[in-house]
Amino acid sequence: MVNRMRAGIVGVGFMGTVHARAIRRAGGVVVRAVGSTPESSRNAAERLRPEVFTETVEELLSADDIDVVHICAPNATHARLARAAIAAGKHVVCEKPLAVNPYEAEELVQLAVDAGVTATVPFVYRFYPTVREARARVADGTAGPVRLLHGSYLQDWLAEDSDDNWRVDSAVGGPSRAFADIGVHWCDLVEFVSGHRIVRVAAQTMIAVPARGGRRVETEDAAVVLFETDGGAVGNVTVSQVTPGRKNRLWFSVDGAKESLTFDQENPETLWIGGREINRQLLRGTSESLVAARYTAVPAGHPQGYQDCFDAFVADAYAAVDGVEPDGLPTFADGLRAAQLTAAVLEAAQKQTWVEVASC
């Protein structure tokens, strides 16, 4: 970076902490951090160690010492906060979902373009070197034409009837939970690797626990989605936040005519390459392509993980602020894409029919 990026963080829970680490590792500085109340802002000052104590969002957004705003607050606030940050002339890193409906997401894409600011959404699983290797093998034809896309994203943090979280409340988390929270990550990753776009979906959603925290649950615990792509492939994905034993198992297989490529986020150091006679496991940091090697931070045998991906994403986002155009940087347009997919899945589940996905 030409200058140290001066960052402000809105939302100081788990994700705020992840962003703070990534900001510093990208060479930036956490100048301000605010929570939903003055008390949470004071707690943030102790945990995130911003340079300037700040009590309110308004104070952070109007500050002259902030270049980029990282939005890590609850989902329903994202569009409002992103809109305000853009109006203040700040660059934006907004947690997904960018907005809880496609109309607001589309508005934010245009506002960012009109303002000339860098605006990104952390679809950070793109930044695993093994994912980049899989993408390179599809792009250069090694895998052959893609025929089938399949997999799952499974978690268990809501598996017990007594489990609860703000995300369960649709007024705060939005009309979709499991798919909007993790299903869009899977779809983003598979579209990114395959080069295909999902154009048509059929879906079934499920509420496994009808009441949590004394309130009726209105958002899905799980979803099963069938889809077709613009490249002639078909696929399916199972998404769940109620699968015991699965902490964060994002697993996909991109099956080409010559080889299939399988990635497992809980074991990201290897890419499984399936062949007709021989199956192989490519080790991260060994013989991968130059594209993948760019995101290899440490030698093979020294595991890289989720935080490393986040660090790489923020570094690329800040490079974009400086005028660089990093390949594969997820922007507000990708946030809009996620909102359109979510809307299509909800509609397909509600109508019990195939639904066309809106195009960005």
Side-chain angles (χ1 to χ4, degrees):
M1 294 181 295
V2 176
N3 300 300
R4 294 183 72 196
M5 206 62 64
R6 301 170 299 175
I9 301 175
V10 181
V12 293
F14 165 70
M15 289 312 307
T17 303
V18 171
H19 280 250
R21 292 193 196 104
I23 290 163
R24 291 185 171 113
R25 290 172 184 174
V29 56
V30 179
V31 177
R32 299 173 185 268
V34 297
S36 57
T37 65
E39 181 181 4
S40 64
S41 295
R42 283 191 290 273
N43 291 336
E46 295 177 5
R47 291 187 298 103
L48 304 186
R49 296 175 286 107
E51 292 191 342
V52 180
F53 175 67
T54 311
E55 283 197 344
T56 68
V57 172
E58 292 74 21
E59 184 182 354
L60 184 149
L61 292 176
S62 63
D64 292 334
D65 55 9
I66 296 296
D67 303 309
V68 56
V69 176
H70 289 245
I71 299 171
C72 311
N75 299 351
T77 68
H78 289 182
R80 171 177 58 83
L81 292 169
R83 194 179 294 116
I86 293 169
K90 314 296 187 187
H91 304 285
V92 185
V93 176
C94 182
E95 273 297 325
K96 56 101 201 68
L98 175 58
V100 295
N101 65 68
Y103 312 106
E104 283 191 314
E106 188 170 13
E107 175 199 0
L108 293 171
V109 171
Q110 192 59 52
L111 287 174
V113 170
D114 292 344
V117 299
T118 296
T120 61
V121 177
F123 286 111
V124 297
Y125 299 113
R126 293 183 180 194
F127 291 84
Y128 278 113
T130 42
V131 166
R132 296 285 175 144
E133 175 65 18
R135 183 179 186 234
R137 297 180 78 87
V138 172
D140 68 12
T142 301
V146 173
R147 296 168 169 171
L148 184 67
L149 306 165
H150 56 104
S152 60
Y153 196 159
L154 309 175
Q155 298 177 332
D156 71 356
W157 62 283
L158 287 171
E160 300 288 341
D161 289 6
S162 58
D163 292 330
D164 197 15
N165 183 268
W166 62 262
R167 295 178 187 275
V168 175
D169 185 351
S170 59
V172 182
S176 172
R177 178 167 30 92
F179 189 82
D181 187 23
I182 59 177
V184 295
H185 269 301
W186 190 94
C187 293
D188 176 80
L189 202 57
V190 166
E191 289 190 337
F192 180 69
V193 169
S194 69
H196 288 220
R197 302 280 275 184
I198 297 169
V199 295
R200 193 164 175 254
V201 299
Q204 182 71 52
T205 59
M206 178 191 70
I207 296 174
V209 182
R212 296 182 188 270
R215 65 181 179 276
R216 181 169 168 265
V217 174
E218 298 177 337
T219 54
E220 77 280 1
D221 289 309
V224 178
V225 182
L226 297 174
F227 59 83
E228 298 173 353
T229 77
D230 60 356
V234 295
N236 69 281
V237 59
T238 298
V239 177
S240 170
Q241 294 176 326
V242 292
T243 300
R246 298 300 189 184
K247 301 305 178 186
N248 199 56
R249 188 178 188 264
L250 191 169
W251 184 99
F252 72 74
S253 185
V254 173
D255 300 352
K258 297 178 181 178
E259 62 185 26
S260 55
L261 305 165
T262 300
F263 170 80
D264 180 358
Q265 197 277 153
E266 291 187 339
N267 297 284
E269 290 292 279
T270 60
L271 176 69
W272 188 87
I273 303 173
R276 185 69 179 267
E277 290 84 25
I278 298 174
N279 297 331
R280 295 183 291 146
Q281 283 193 321
L282 180 71
L283 302 179
R284 196 272 309 158
T286 54
S287 60
E288 74 261 61
S289 64
L290 291 176
V291 174
R294 177 172 179 263
Y295 293 97
T296 294
V298 293
H302 301 74
Q304 289 184 214
Y306 173 77
Q307 184 67 57
D308 296 289
C309 289
F310 226 102
D311 298 348
F313 157 71
V314 171
D316 274 7
Y318 286 5
V321 172
D322 277 343
V324 180
E325 296 184 5
D327 177 57
L329 177 66
T331 67
F332 271 20
D334 298 295
L336 170 58
R337 174 68 179 164
Q340 291 169 331
L341 282 165
T342 300
V345 166
L346 291 182
E347 182 182 352
Q350 190 270 323
K351 293 182 177 178
Q352 289 293 282
T353 187
W354 284 87
V355 170
E356 304 289 326
V357 180
S359 178
C360 290

